[in-house]
Amino acid sequence: MPRFAANLTFLFTELPFMERFAAAKEAGFDAVEVLFPYDFAAQEMRAQLIRHDLTFVLQNTPPPNWAGGERGFAAVPGSEARFRSDFDRCLRYAGVLKPLHIHVMAGRAQGAVARATYLRNLRWACERAPQASLTIEPLNEGDMPGYFLNDFALAAEILDEVGAPNLGLQFDAYHAQILTEDVAAAWEAYGPRAVHVQIAGVPGRHEPTGGAVDWPGFFAALDGSGYAGWVSAEYTPEASTAEGLGWLAAARA
């Protein structure tokens, strides 16, 4: 059975942020992730992690302006200084929060110059933080218009070209199903590169139940492939978070 984590940016939003750690533990999660923790005190978050015996799985870079702002700068030509400054701030937070992975967001860009910029920035980041596990994640065009990394084959090429041992694939089953229309085949093809997995229902990005994905089959495929990382619930609950956690009990049955 996969090990499930709660994305506190998406789940338990009916509660103040610092109360979500306890709620996640009470709901049966042993790990959490936060997309952008930079509006909160790192030491206070660390205290919550320790108090509730939670593993901190993942945070994103860059820090600021998520609401209506940019989706990263790693592939954006001319934004190298911004990317590096944001990455260093991310590392300062990571030094306190100790995430297992840091997701390096590509941003909105296209073309050969963007690809070269992305490769250069990723190589720099991998060398800058050799002890950190960095990830890249393909995102679908509908949710992220203009996002550079919008294809799993491209992600595989980028990983091979960077060639860094501390850079891996972040496999989001929601995006994979939309991009490929066959999450099982996508996992078979690209799962061996994955160091982190996220889940959400298709369509709607709600609870991982029914819809276009055979979730019991997907979870079995994760187990069968030997995947040993965390599987983070990164979805928007249809009602309250607690009301929608039947999928978690079913997966553990």
Side-chain angles (χ1 to χ4, degrees):
M1 180 187 69
R3 298 183 298 164
F4 294 102
N7 184 306
L8 299 187
T9 304
F10 279 74
L11 302 187
F12 305 105
T13 57
E14 56 269 27
L15 299 172
F17 178 74
M18 289 298 173
E19 295 179 17
R20 298 176 197 175
F21 296 84
K25 186 68 175 184
E26 184 176 352
F29 293 101
D30 292 318
V32 297
E33 65 182 26
V34 178
L35 296 187
F36 298 96
Y38 309 99
D39 289 336
F40 308 98
Q43 291 290 356
E44 189 173 352
M45 284 185 282
R46 182 64 184 163
Q48 291 292 328
L49 293 167
I50 293 171
R51 182 175 302 136
H52 301 292
D53 191 26
L54 290 165
T55 297
F56 191 59
V57 178
L58 176 123
Q59 69 187 67
N60 285 358
T61 184
N65 302 328
W66 176 253
E70 296 300 326
R71 272 34 177 181
F73 299 96
V76 181
S79 296
E80 291 84 350
R82 175 63 182 273
F83 169 74
R84 294 184 181 199
S85 174
D86 284 349
F87 188 78
D88 281 345
R89 185 181 178 197
C90 175
L91 291 182
R92 290 195 292 274
Y93 264 74
V96 177
L97 296 175
K98 305 184 187 309
L100 299 183
H101 310 291
I102 296 172
H103 172 206
V104 181
M105 299 199 73
R108 295 185 175 99
Q110 295 179 357
V113 176
R115 182 189 179 106
T117 301
Y118 194 37
L119 289 167
R120 185 166 57 251
N121 280 331
L122 287 174
R123 291 184 181 116
W124 176 88
C126 290
E127 292 176 2
R128 185 75 165 176
Q131 303 306 316
S133 171
L134 307 182
T135 70
I136 59 173
E137 176 191 11
L139 306 179
N140 79 81
E141 182 74 12
D143 284 79
M144 292 288 184
Y147 194 74
F148 176 78
L149 190 61
N150 59 6
D151 182 81
F152 275 88
L154 175 59
E157 291 174 9
I158 295 294
L159 290 172
D160 287 342
E161 290 182 44
V162 174
N166 59 328
L167 183 66
L169 178 67
Q170 186 167 317
F171 186 100
D172 188 313
Y174 166 79
H175 290 290
Q177 177 62 33
I178 294 173
L179 287 169
T180 70
E181 300 184 347
D182 190 341
V183 70
W187 178 256
E188 184 176 356
Y190 302 106
R193 298 175 179 270
V195 297
H196 185 54
V197 172
Q198 293 170 321
I199 54 173
V202 183
R205 203 168 189 174
H206 299 303
E207 284 80 357
T209 57
V213 176
D214 171 11
W215 290 106
F218 180 66
F219 296 149
L222 293 181
D223 287 340
S225 70
Y227 175 73
W230 291 92
V231 177
S232 287
E234 189 194 41
Y235 62 83
T236 302
E238 291 202 78
S240 73
T241 303
E243 289 178 86
L245 288 177
W247 68 268
L248 182 61
R252 291 173 168 169

